[in-house]
Every structure is written in C-alpha cells, then in structure tokens.
Amino acid sequence: MLWMKWKMVVDSPCGRRRRMPCPLWFLLLFAAGGLVLFIHQRNLSEMVLQQGPGVKLGITPRQSRETLSTENRKRGKSDNYQDHQATGGILSSQIPPMQFPHFEEMRQTATPGSQEQDMSTLNVSKRQRKLLKTSPPISHTKNNSSTSSSSSSPSSSSSVSSSSASGSFFPDMQEARRKLMKEVCAKYKSSISKTITQHHVKNLFVEDKYKLLYCQVPKAGCSNWKRTLMVLAGQARNAQSIKHDTVHDGQHVKRLDVFSHPEIMRRLETYTKIIFVREPLERMVSAYRDKFENPNIYYHSSFGIPIISKYRANPSSEALKTGDGVTFKEFVQYLLDVHRPVGMDIHWEQMNQLCNPCLINYDFIGKFENMKEESNFVLRLSGAPPNITLPSFKDRNPNDMRTSVQITEKYFSQVSMLERQRVYDLYYMDYLMFNYSKPFKDLY
C-alpha cells in the first residue's frame, strides 16, 4: 500500500521529485501554445503575400468545369456533349488555362484584342521562371538575317520590329503556348495513336519555296492566309487581287495530303508549321452569321433544311424547301444533338480536331485576336520579303460587322444557361489547349 502511494507521487507532475509546482507547469504549457500559434499566424501571412489578392487561402485552384472522362478521352466522339469527371490540380505551364477562377479577371495587356493570360501578372515558380527565358527563333527558318532586316522595313509594324530586335516577347509567348498545348495533350490525349496519316494532315497547306505548312482554321483568317501563300508561291502579285472563290477552289494552294507518306513526313520534320486560332464561341457565332444569315445556297440546302425539319415546330413549306432563316437557337440545338440530322462542318468543327496539335508539333501558334502583329512576325521569320504581309480585308459580306465579344454575347442571350454551358463543354478542349478565358461568368 505504501509502495503504491509512493509511485503515484513520483509519477505526478506535481510530485515532490519534480520539484516544480502545478501552476508553473500550466504556465509553461500556455506559453508553448502561444508560441506555436504565433509561428502559425506568421506562416499564414507569408502565404497571403505570396499568393496575391483574390486568392482564397488554403484552396487549390480547380478547373472551372468537369474534365474529360477516361472513356471520352479515347475519343472519336468529341463533337457530342460529354459529361466529364471532376479533377483537381492545374497544369504547370507558365500560362495557366484561363478557366481557373483566380486567373479569370487577368487580360493580355500587350495585345488588347486577345483574351489570353498576361504572363507578366503571374506569380510563377522557379521552374516556371526558368521557362520564361528567351527561346531561340524558330529553327526551320531559311535565313536568320531576314529577321533583323525586317525590323527596319516600313511595311512591318513597330511592335513586330521591336519584338524581332529584342527577340523576347514573341519567342517567350510561343514557348509558353507550345508548352501549354503539350501539357494538355499529355493529360487528355495520351491514349491516341501517334501515327500520322493523310487524314490528319488534310487541312494543312504547303508553300515549298519558304518551307511553310499552314493549318486552316475557318473563321480565323484562313482565306487571307491562303492568299498570302499564293503570293509567296508567285501565283499572284498581291493578295488583294485574289478573289474568294479562287482561294477556295482547291487548285492554287497545295494540300499536304496529296503527297506520299515519306514526303508528308519530310515536310512535317523540316518545314515551319503554323496554326492560327480564335476564341471558340466567337468563331462559332461568326460561322453561323456567315452561313445562315446571308444568302448561301449550299449551306441553306445542306444544313438549313435538315435543321429546320428537326428542330422547328410547324415549319412553313417555304422554309422546308429553301432552308432559309435558321435561328441561332436552332443552330445550337443542332450542335448539341448527339444524333444530328447532318454532320459537323469545317467552319464550326473544333480547332483541335481540324489541326491535330497533339500529333503535329506546331512551331507557331498564332491568335486571330492579334493577327496583324503575329502573322507578320512569322512571315519575317520564314524569310518572306518585307513587302508581303497578311491582308486584313473582309471579302465575304463586307458590310457585316466583324463578330466581337459583344456580338457573341448578344447571340448567346437567345439560348438558355444550360445550352450556353453545353456549347462551352463542346469546345472545352479548344479553350483549354489554346488558353482562352471563359466567355460567360455563369459557366462552371
């Protein structure tokens, strides 16, 4: 009994062996807890300073919508609406996809027309800062001296001249765009076959003299790019003299798929490969306005009649006969229909499906929103004469206003919020791959 009492005294923090009263123990514990709390608050304030304004502490940025499921990534059905599984984390590119919430309000200051992320406003990691170092010019150019000579040319814009001379802005931007595209492909398209066939290059056009391969994206300046390729090939003195029907008759600009497979691969490996893209929903609205709001016998008969027949209640006999007057809501219903009455068309097909950027390693990814500066820059890099620049005129329906952000919003106000979301889902891979921001705030 005495032994048990003695053991209790020894084990107690207030026991005589400890020679320390209980109140002092409580004081020490309280001081230690206060010190831990102070250190934790200091770490939190440092995190706030590093993350910058507008970022919720402790929340990992997530994608703004559901991502592609494993089954849909294996593909063949990108033109259908797909339910995707949610995913966390972001791609590590120095231009993060614009869909992440705390990047949404940032805009490109160097190019006001573009909705691309401004690199200068980002807080990047050490690895990302290393990637922002100036990259060398495109390696497929014929003559490096053409870059410096073009900077003094009166025909090239001042922004192109300064960028060519400094060798920083455009190469950095291209490095970032290519890096982002490769990461998206690795994440979502890793299961696709890596074998390039003639089908994959059917939208690439060839200019052998200056070793250029241009992938056409309709409604993103492709007519004027084809005109420029014809001028480079010596088929016309200037782009302004080439009519629209001549550009698209298929006889003047060579397509890459007409060559043998060895010749296709040789050009893909040695030529400068160019793609110009556009904000996906603006491009889709531009296609609708061009093909359905203006006289067009082919599109009204081939697409208009089937669309009106399926989606319009009590259509008139005249509408069923001519296909005229397809509404924007009917066009959206057609796009979102898994069982469309007529297939997709190149003018509103997804850009990543037209140009296959996960198979073809493009050297230059240009933006329609900054067409003048970026197209002239790549022409100078290719060694094209300084007097050859991309024309900017609108030869089809020239009296119509160009499709803008405001016009796009006006058209999408005619459809429901769910339909807007589903159209965004349809073009989601283009938004992600080419780094465009969400077009509407209510999209997830």
Side-chain angles (χ1 to χ4, degrees):
M1 189 74 178
L2 289 174
W3 181 84
M4 293 288 292
K5 289 183 178 180
W6 179 85
K7 191 175 186 305
M8 289 173 62
V9 170
V10 171
D11 291 341
S12 171
C14 303
R16 296 173 185 173
R17 293 281 301 274
R18 302 288 180 178
R19 297 181 181 179
M20 190 176 291
C22 282
L24 190 55
W25 275 104
F26 288 121
L27 272 173
L28 286 173
L29 289 172
F30 182 77
L35 181 62
V36 170
L37 182 62
F38 172 76
I39 294 172
H40 181 62
Q41 287 178 337
R42 186 175 180 182
N43 289 338
L44 286 177
S45 44
E46 286 178 357
M47 289 172 62
V48 171
L49 289 173
Q50 289 174 2
Q51 292 188 14
V55 182
K56 292 184 178 179
L57 195 61
I59 297 178
T60 301
R62 64 175 180 84
Q63 291 183 348
S64 64
R65 53 143 293 128
E66 297 172 340
T67 54
L68 297 178
S69 67
T70 304
E71 294 80 8
N72 290 330
R73 268 182 265 147
K74 291 182 179 177
R75 205 35 231 187
K77 297 182 180 180
S78 71
D79 52 346
N80 299 334
Y81 171 68
Q82 303 164 338
D83 268 337
H84 308 316
Q85 297 298 322
T87 185
I90 61 173
L91 299 171
S92 62
S93 170
Q94 60 269 35
I95 299 187
M98 295 291 291
Q99 292 79 19
F100 306 133
H102 62 293
F103 297 132
E104 185 175 327
E105 299 303 322
M106 300 180 183
R107 291 295 181 265
Q108 176 60 262
T109 55
T111 57
S114 174
Q115 297 183 44
E116 187 174 10
Q117 178 66 42
D118 181 2
M119 288 192 302
S120 64
T121 63
L122 296 178
N123 292 312
V124 296
S125 66
K126 289 182 180 179
R127 187 180 74 83
Q128 292 166 342
R129 277 195 292 270
K130 188 176 181 181
L131 289 172
L132 287 174
K133 291 182 179 178
T134 302
S135 62
I138 296 174
S139 59
H140 304 304
T141 55
K142 291 180 62 179
N143 190 349
N144 289 335
S145 62
S146 63
T147 306
S148 59
S149 64
S150 66
S151 63
S152 61
S153 169
S155 63
S156 58
S157 66
S158 60
S159 61
V160 173
S161 301
S162 60
S163 297
S164 300
S166 64
S168 60
F169 178 74
F170 281 110
D172 280 349
M173 184 64 73
Q174 286 303 310
E175 175 67 21
R177 289 174 182 173
R178 291 196 300 269
K179 179 76 165 59
L180 174 62
M181 193 164 65
K182 287 179 181 178
E183 290 187 354
V184 174
C185 290
K187 188 168 185 178
Y188 297 106
K189 303 279 190 177
S190 59
S191 62
I192 65 174
S193 172
K194 305 301 180 183
T195 303
I196 297 177
T197 66
Q198 288 180 314
H199 172 75
H200 294 126
V201 300
K202 65 181 181 180
N203 290 312
L204 268 72
F205 290 85
V206 182
E207 205 300 294
D208 284 317
K209 183 178 179 181
Y210 292 94
K211 296 186 176 181
L212 291 175
L213 294 178
Y214 165 72
C215 183
Q216 66 167 341
V217 175
K219 313 313 297 178
C222 79
S223 296
N224 284 331
W225 258 106
K226 288 182 182 179
R227 287 185 174 94
T228 303
L229 294 179
M230 291 174 64
V231 174
L232 290 173
Q235 298 183 21
R237 296 188 63 180
N238 58 73
Q240 287 74 11
S241 63
I242 306 173
K243 295 182 179 180
H244 183 86
D245 292 339
T246 304
V247 171
H248 295 285
D249 65 7
Q251 299 179 12
H252 296 86
V253 186
K254 291 182 291 185
R255 286 182 10 172
L256 187 57
D257 63 348
V258 303
F259 295 93
S260 65
H261 190 264
E263 284 298 305
I264 290 173
M265 296 309 298
R266 181 181 69 82
R267 286 172 171 81
L268 286 173
E269 292 167 2
T270 59
Y271 283 21
T272 299
K273 297 171 288 295
I274 304 167
I275 176 176
F276 270 82
V277 295
R278 184 177 184 178
E279 203 286 331
L281 294 197
E282 272 188 35
R283 174 176 170 261
M284 170 258 199
V285 170
S286 177
Y288 165 77
R289 296 176 68 208
D290 181 31
K291 304 306 178 188
F292 295 104
E293 289 189 342
N294 291 287
N296 193 309
I297 295 175
Y298 170 76
Y299 280 93
H300 289 197
S301 60
S302 300
F303 289 87
I305 293 174
I307 289 173
I308 291 172
S309 300
K310 184 167 185 179
Y311 305 109
R312 184 176 297 181
N314 303 316
S316 67
S317 57
E318 182 68 17
L320 291 174
K321 180 181 178 181
T322 62
D324 296 347
V326 171
T327 66
F328 184 71
K329 186 174 181 64
E330 290 168 343
F331 180 63
V332 167
Q333 289 177 296
Y334 146 76
L335 280 180
L336 299 178
D337 192 349
V338 176
H339 305 290
R340 297 189 188 98
V342 61
M344 289 289 274
D345 181 77
I346 190 174
H347 290 83
W348 48 82
E349 176 70 275
Q350 295 96 328
M351 294 178 287
N352 72 88
Q353 293 298 311
L354 295 174
C355 295
N356 299 290
C358 293
L359 285 177
I360 299 169
N361 187 22
Y362 286 93
D363 300 294
F364 194 92
I365 305 166
K367 296 291 183 81
F368 176 84
E369 293 80 8
N370 195 29
M371 178 66 80
K372 180 180 178 181
E373 290 81 4
E374 296 191 22
S375 62
N376 288 337
F377 178 79
V378 74
L379 285 171
R380 301 292 78 77
L381 281 181
S382 69
N387 64 309
I388 297 180
T389 59
L390 197 79
S392 59
F393 61 85
K394 188 175 185 288
D395 62 337
R396 283 181 63 82
N397 310 309
N399 295 326
D400 290 349
M401 291 182 63
R402 288 187 183 274
T403 303
S404 62
V405 174
Q406 292 75 23
I407 290 176
T408 301
E409 290 176 349
K410 178 182 176 182
Y411 276 83
F412 271 93
S413 68
Q414 303 172 30
V415 301
S416 68
M417 183 177 70
L418 177 60
E419 287 172 319
R420 287 200 302 272
Q421 179 65 54
R422 293 185 64 196
V423 174
Y424 174 68
D425 292 347
L426 179 66
Y427 293 101
Y428 176 67
M429 188 55 65
D430 284 346
Y431 276 97
L432 192 63
M433 190 173 290
F434 302 116
N435 193 40
Y436 281 103
S437 62
K438 288 189 298 184
F440 305 108
K441 292 182 178 180
D442 57 1
L443 299 175
Y444 60 83

